[in-house]
Amino acid sequence: ASGYCGGYYAMSLSPNPSNGETTLAIEPTSADIVFDDNAEWEVEIFDHMQALKEQTTKLKGKEHKIKTTGWKTGIYIVRAKYKDEYLQGKLVVN
């Protein structure tokens, strides 16, 4: 599943639903856009009560592994900030 907010980048979460580990990938929405491997970005994950479950900063590259082992079943909001864009997706944990 991928989300598109009209920006230059989109987020995909796979597998989704997750039962242990999910890979978050940031993909350019157009062939004209080059992903900057040197740009640092960050991820925040919120639970259904909108409490911050996990925050990871200073990420590089287009993929980040999210370990969901031991998380409660439910829907989590994953928000990534890459350059000046906020990307958001829903991650289902079984």
Side-chain angles (χ1 to χ4, degrees):
S2 64
Y4 180 66
C5 298
Y8 294 109
Y9 300 94
M11 169 198 301
S12 68
L13 296 162
S14 176
N16 189 5
S18 166
N19 54 9
E21 184 178 271
T22 288
T23 300
L24 184 168
I26 294 178
E27 301 290 345
T29 55
S30 148
D32 303 333
I33 301 163
V34 176
F35 186 91
D36 182 356
D37 283 313
N38 294 314
E40 289 187 349
W41 54 285
E42 61 186 62
V43 173
E44 293 176 329
I45 302 170
F46 299 88
D47 65 17
H48 68 285
M49 301 293 287
Q50 295 183 349
L52 185 61
K53 170 92 182 161
E54 188 176 288
Q55 182 173 34
T56 313
T57 59
K58 301 200 183 299
L59 292 166
K60 290 218 176 152
K62 60 176 63 171
E63 291 189 353
H64 170 58
K65 296 217 180 300
I66 300 169
K67 307 264 193 228
T68 59
T69 308
W71 290 19
K72 283 187 180 147
T73 300
I75 296 174
Y76 294 79
I77 300 296
V78 180
R79 190 179 297 155
K81 181 174 189 283
Y82 175 74
K83 297 202 170 180
D84 291 329
E85 279 191 53
Y86 285 95
L87 310 173
Q88 187 166 297
K90 282 189 176 137
L91 174 61
V92 179
V93 174
N94 292 347

